[in-house]
Amino acid sequence: MNTQEKEILEGFKSYLSVEKNFSDHTLSAYSSDVVSYILWLDGKNCTDVDFEKLREYLHFIQKFDYKKTTVARKTAAIRTFYKYLFRERYIDSNPAISLSAPKRPKSLPKFLTPDEVERILNNVKIDTPAGFRNRVIIELLWATGMRVSELSNLNFGDLNLDENEIKVFGKGAKERIVLVSDRAKGFLIQYINTARNLLAPGYEIGETTEKSPLFINNTGYRLQNKTIRNAINEVVEKIELPKHVTPHVFRHSFATKLIENGADLRVVQELLGHSGISNTQIYTHISMKHMKDVYDSAHPHSS
């Protein structure tokens, strides 16, 4: 890559992180996709391509045995990249505006039953400050439906626990309010008053202000998403739960439980921070499938 392209890439990363508020995982994937694309150009400047060149690149990556979701992500990365270039006036017109990816296969999100969630929670070791913190985190993921990036970015100023509310900043820096159950709030208050202050022995945590991170690691810095994922993986492996469980699975489980209990779709959309109702409607399909599975297993004349 030439010097200009390196500068563009750094600016693009900042755009994804600050303005688009993408998760670390998505930021890394998009950056890698764009680097691969620039290297494929083999010396041709990324600001000097047309639509046909982009189509040529799509044909190139489809020669590999990528999943449709991977091709769709790579296409989205290129579209976002050229949207950024056009916005920053590196180019006079956007050649990627009509670029389309293969349709993603429709699949229902994985979710946990309330019993499975309780099993996970009850097997988190809470005899250490870090363990108690991890229990609180899983309680909040299950109780609020927050994304893991939203949770790790929480500051003290985002809490309004008197009203059982937390302010979060979702994708695109969109602000919303999520609701907290009394049980999760109780664990959170206990963490703030005890475990948080014990997490970083020998390190200066500093005075707590509205901008102080809510969840910290053993050195007093903001907790990273990877640590949360590892904590969940450790418990799931311990209890040998036959499901792949990520922080996002708790979000799916939260939404599914609300729909099953008759929550209005618009309310669920608001709590999840979905920009459109179509993203929320997937949980009605999950609920219906679950209902049919229960019927098939429980009703004597179901088959």
Side-chain angles (χ1 to χ4, degrees):
M1 288 191 292
N2 60 40
T3 303
Q4 185 196 36
E5 286 172 333
K6 289 179 181 178
E7 291 176 356
I8 288 174
L9 189 60
E10 287 305 309
F12 179 59
K13 289 179 181 178
S14 178
Y15 166 72
L16 295 179
S17 174
V18 178
E19 297 195 37
K20 301 294 286 183
N21 199 29
F22 280 179
S23 67
D24 292 341
H25 176 75
T26 304
L27 194 156
S28 176
Y30 272 39
S31 299
S32 176
D33 291 338
V34 170
V35 168
S36 297
Y37 162 69
I38 291 175
L39 293 176
W40 174 83
L41 288 174
D42 195 26
K44 186 177 180 65
N45 200 306
C46 64
T47 60
D48 189 30
V49 302
D50 55 17
F51 177 73
E52 290 306 318
K53 191 67 177 177
L54 295 177
R55 287 291 301 272
E56 183 183 336
Y57 178 67
L58 282 192
H59 286 305
F60 168 74
I61 63 175
Q62 286 171 4
K63 293 178 182 178
F64 299 92
D65 193 24
Y66 290 131
K67 294 180 181 178
K68 285 186 177 181
T69 51
T70 303
V71 175
R73 190 205 67 220
K74 288 178 176 293
T75 307
I78 299 302
R79 288 188 59 167
T80 305
F81 180 59
Y82 276 97
K83 181 179 179 181
Y84 167 76
L85 292 180
F86 180 65
R87 196 193 77 155
E88 297 299 315
R89 300 186 179 180
Y90 285 108
I91 53 179
D92 295 327
S93 61
N94 182 354
I97 198 166
S98 300
L99 199 65
S100 59
K103 290 184 178 180
R104 299 186 184 211
K106 291 184 178 180
S107 59
L108 296 178
K110 302 294 187 292
F111 69 97
L112 300 165
T113 66
D115 286 344
E116 288 171 333
V117 173
E118 289 302 319
R119 221 180 126 200
I120 291 172
L121 287 168
N122 292 333
N123 278 279
V124 178
K125 292 183 179 179
I126 59 173
D127 54 352
T128 65
F132 190 82
R133 175 205 62 202
N134 294 341
R135 168 69 188 257
V136 176
I137 285 171
I138 298 175
E139 287 277 359
L140 281 178
L141 289 173
W142 166 234
T144 66
M146 274 189 281
R147 299 177 178 93
V148 65
S149 58
E150 294 169 346
L151 185 140
S152 61
N153 285 328
L154 288 177
N155 297 328
F156 274 87
D158 299 322
L159 304 180
N160 181 11
L161 296 182
D162 288 341
E163 300 294 334
N164 287 57
E165 295 176 354
I166 297 178
K167 178 173 60 180
V168 300
F169 294 89
K171 291 183 177 180
K174 292 179 180 177
E175 179 184 319
R176 75 179 189 282
I177 300 295
V178 298
L179 305 179
V180 187
S181 66
D182 286 335
R183 187 176 87 168
K185 182 176 78 169
F187 274 102
L188 179 56
I189 291 173
Q190 192 174 347
Y191 161 75
I192 292 170
N193 292 336
T194 58
R196 187 179 185 275
N197 299 321
L198 301 173
L199 272 167
Y203 291 88
E204 184 61 45
I205 295 179
E207 181 184 358
T208 300
T209 68
E210 288 196 347
K211 293 185 178 180
S212 298
L214 179 59
F215 292 107
I216 58 174
N217 59 23
N218 290 334
T219 58
Y221 289 96
R222 186 181 298 278
L223 195 67
Q224 299 300 304
N225 298 347
K226 184 179 180 181
T227 305
I228 299 173
R229 297 178 195 279
N230 289 342
I232 292 172
N233 288 339
E234 183 179 333
V235 181
V236 171
E237 288 176 7
K238 172 187 171 185
I239 64 177
E240 298 181 347
L241 191 69
K243 287 184 177 180
H244 179 58
V245 182
T246 67
H248 216 69
V249 169
F250 287 95
R251 179 171 164 86
H252 295 320
S253 307
F254 163 81
T256 303
K257 189 61 180 172
L258 288 181
I259 295 294
E260 285 183 346
N261 285 340
D264 183 86
L265 205 57
R266 292 288 180 184
V267 173
V268 179
Q269 177 192 357
E270 188 70 23
L271 290 172
L272 292 176
H274 283 161
S275 56
I277 195 70
S278 60
N279 293 327
T280 317
Q281 285 174 329
I282 186 70
Y283 297 108
T284 62
H285 301 309
I286 296 176
S287 181
M288 182 57 68
K289 182 180 184 302
H290 178 61
M291 196 184 307
K292 288 179 179 178
D293 290 343
V294 170
Y295 175 82
D296 289 340
S297 63
H299 196 283
H301 298 152
S302 62
S303 58

